[in-house]
Amino acid sequence: MSYLTDYLYYASENECDPKFHKWAGLMVLSAAASRKIRVQYGDWKISPNMYVFFVGPPAAGKSVAMELAEKVVHDFTDITIAPNAITAASLVQTMGDKKSRREYTHDGQVFEFSPITIFSDELVSLLGPEPTQMIDLLTALYSNSSIYRNHTKGQGKDEVPRPCVTMVCCLTPQILSAMLTEKMISGGL
């Protein structure tokens, strides 16, 4: 049996659409692997950070699949799980905190990285009142393979070495349609 087959068997005791569980299982694997593995593609080193969106009507089982994935990440990894409500500035501070950092060794060299996993029942809640700030941050963290720096006059300096964000968010088709209509997510996310 493969990991994903085992995960789907583990998650099969509920009414949730198996597609949600399949993506949740892949997201858990992404969170556990974070920057410890990567694929070389030309000059790029690609890590398995994933942004997964469960889109479905209310009561489709989106939250069931997400909560099961959160339990597995919590119980079987040491990856930091973001609070349910978090601002863009707080996300950077959390990832920059030395307690959130991890290390891996490659070719005898030690690398520090900053993994975090985000679980959000409602994407709109995660994005908050200033959605473009969070979208811009998530886009920057996703594509940054070395160090993310945030320097502000009032809050000082935060540095996030080798950020690795794995995320699963739930939303309805109506919310997705409204977001696309408003072009909220067309900036890169």
Side-chain angles (χ1 to χ4, degrees):
M1 288 191 138
S2 70
Y3 158 78
L4 197 51
T5 302
D6 290 345
Y7 186 89
L8 291 172
Y9 177 77
Y10 170 71
S12 67
E13 294 295 320
N14 56 61
E15 72 287 349
C16 181
D17 186 331
K19 286 183 270 189
F20 291 140
H21 284 309
K22 182 176 183 178
W23 280 101
L26 291 169
M27 190 277 317
V28 167
L29 188 59
S30 169
S34 55
R35 291 249 180 226
K36 292 177 275 188
I37 65 168
R38 61 180 181 243
V39 174
Q40 187 76 35
Y41 185 74
D43 291 338
W44 290 31
K45 295 176 183 168
I46 302 170
S47 296
N49 51 335
M50 292 179 69
Y51 291 2
V52 176
F53 299 92
F54 292 160
V55 181
K62 303 179 299 286
S63 293
V64 172
M66 185 195 72
E67 288 168 7
L68 185 62
E70 184 173 6
K71 180 180 178 357
V72 173
V73 170
H74 177 270
D75 291 352
F76 296 103
T77 76
D78 66 345
I79 302 300
T80 301
I81 296 176
N84 292 341
I86 191 165
T87 64
S90 183
L91 181 59
V92 172
Q93 288 175 339
T94 300
M95 292 182 73
D97 188 331
K98 295 214 183 281
K99 291 183 281 186
S100 295
R101 297 180 185 181
R102 303 293 180 268
E103 293 180 344
Y104 69 93
T105 304
H106 179 71
D107 289 337
Q109 188 175 358
V110 177
F111 294 91
E112 189 174 47
F113 66 107
S114 301
I116 196 163
T117 303
I118 300 170
F119 296 94
S120 178
D121 266 334
E122 295 293 336
L123 176 61
V124 174
S125 297
L126 174 67
L127 297 179
E130 298 289 336
T132 54
Q133 286 181 348
M134 185 63 86
I135 290 169
D136 290 347
L137 174 62
L138 290 170
T139 301
L141 292 172
Y142 185 88
S143 60
N144 192 313
S145 62
S146 57
I147 190 162
Y148 177 83
R149 292 180 178 90
N150 186 42
H151 298 190
T152 62
K153 181 178 178 181
Q155 295 181 341
K157 298 178 181 182
D158 291 303
E159 295 190 346
V160 181
R162 293 180 183 79
C164 190
V165 179
T166 304
M167 175 175 70
V168 62
C169 298
C170 303
L171 67 157
T172 63
Q174 294 81 6
I175 295 293
L176 178 62
S177 178
M179 291 175 76
L180 291 173
T181 301
E182 295 175 20
K183 297 183 179 180
M184 281 177 55
I185 60 174
S186 62
L189 187 65

